[in-house]
Amino acid sequence: MTSYSIIGGTGALGAALARRLASAGHQVIIGSRDPAKAAAFAAAFAAELAADLPAAARVSGAGLADAAAAGEVCVLTVPYAAHADTLAQVRDAVQGKIVIDATVPLKPPKVGTVQLPAAGCAALETAAALGEGVRVVSALQTIGAEKLASGGPIDADVLVAGDDAEAVEAVRTMLAELGLRSWHVGPLANAAAAEAMTSVLIQINRRYKMEQAGVKITGRPKGAPKPGPSLQIRAVPGLPLFGPGDDLALAIGDALAADEPPRDGDVVVVAQKVVSKVEDRAVLLATVTPGDEAAAAAAKAAKDPAVLELILAESSELMRVKPGVVIARHRLGHVLANAGIDASNVSPDQGEAALLWPADPDASARALRLALEARFGVSLAVIISDSLGRAWRMGTTGHAIASSGLKPLRDRRGESDLFGRVLQATVIGVADEIAAAASLVIGEAAEGLPVAVVRGAVYDRDESAGIGDILRPRHEDLFP
Ligand SMILES: NC(=O)c1ccc[n+]([C@@H]2O[C@H](COP(=O)([O-])OP(=O)(O)OC[C@H]3O[C@@H](n4cnc5c(N)ncnc54)[C@H](OP(=O)(O)O)[C@@H]3O)[C@@H](O)[C@H]2O)c1
């Protein structure tokens, strides 16, 4: 546990930092020009966080000099306009200590323009004002207060500048504890880059309507092993609720453009339900007249005869019928419960309805792929997925019921394994694997996330293949 004085702790950055420090079990002293304000702020803060604070954490408030005297490390989070005056007030109290300076020399109203002071940067002014007995470390300029206040993970890096390597490492350790990745970017004079970066980030936020833009250092450590394959699976946010006749390709394209445009090789996985909905595959059960076969099967399965009539119409044979269970061979060859017919996500506006699979799912996948490829100028694959049970395993997983742009199987026979043995039987059901991976982020229930993008999957491109190859030919059925 360390004690941190936060000079300007009633403000946006200081309060966010205080929250993270206290949550990490440290003692925090909020410093304000008004000691009563600091005490009230600290009390409200402690009460708000009470249930979440570790036992060691303490939050208190004091005037600037008293707060600075109370902490082992002092953090400066005041506006540049108050910089020199604040430093003069805390100078004596911080001698012998580390001072973390987050100040950005912004000169309102032109905060989007870099305006560094004549000394080079605010951090150098801090060092000059506090004298040689203080180890000044500059940090945090590029981390938005809101992001810090959220308490969640932060996808941005902190640039830490300082002349005292030990002090810099102490600050970096503290930042790591708060969940922040940081880089020692050199002597204190280099704080100019981080301070200037704030105006650049303000410009980026304004121009691109971003919130809390940050910086992140890329690259790999020298000599690090080549990275292994990795996969990114992302649900596509911002899609509407779909209904009959909606333009699915346009909606998915708009959502991808607003989120992150697709890249060559991406696989767009779409839940069957939304494809069925836009293709108006919902059938009102009241409009269905069950025949004798449906009535008999319904009695055996203890299900609605109208549903059985639809199952029969959608399948080439019923393979098992037991109370509560109907396993059918769908007219397209897939063997699955209820021939894929589902009522769980259908709007009940006009009465009970059942949703059938698309009439020609491969054609739907192909149309979607061609539309997205034309819009974004990239090569994609599209999979339509449904959650299906497995014959000898519990639990449903995402399965590909249609595909376009890829071979659904990846035939690795003839390749060698690590020991040079030639693979004899390895054929990977890659379309199903991708569908299952995507189903981890596709919302099954109320999430409203019916589309995912899988990036980095290895598959063989095929412009004309559909899902057909994934179906085991009937003559190879081991349990006929
Ligand atoms: N906000 C961010 O996202 C962010 C990110 C990185 C760096 N920074 C830098 O961190 C520093 C603090 O930023 P902030 O956004 O937290 O500032 P802020 O909320 O506007 O102010 C912080 C605190 O400074 C104190 N203060 C002292 N003299 C002041 C004066 N003349 N005018 C206004 N407030 C005064 C106030 O506390 P009392 O009234 O209690 O004394 C105030 O609550 C700035 O240098 C900023 O550039 C900010």
Side-chain angles (χ1 to χ4, degrees), residues 8 10-13 32-33 37 77-79 82 102-104 140-141 143-145:
T10 56
L13 184 68
S32 164
R33 291 169 293 180
K37 177 183 172 188
T77 60
V78 294
T103 310
V104 180
L140 289 165
Q141 290 82 357
I143 302 294

Side-chain angles (χ1 to χ4, degrees), residues 2 122 149 162 205 239 251 265 354 358 361 467 469:
T2 306
N205 282 334
L239 285 163
I467 199 66
D469 285 352

Side-chain angles (χ1 to χ4, degrees), residues 232 234 236 252-268 369 371-381 452-455:
Q232 187 197 67
R234 222 175 65 240
V236 179
I252 293 176
D254 287 349
L256 287 173
D259 178 40
E260 192 182 326
R263 296 194 200 149
D264 272 330
D266 282 357
V267 185
V268 178
R369 173 176 70 84
L372 293 174
E373 286 182 339
R375 176 162 176 181
F376 293 103
V378 291
S379 289
L380 300 171
V453 175
V454 178
R455 179 167 295 166

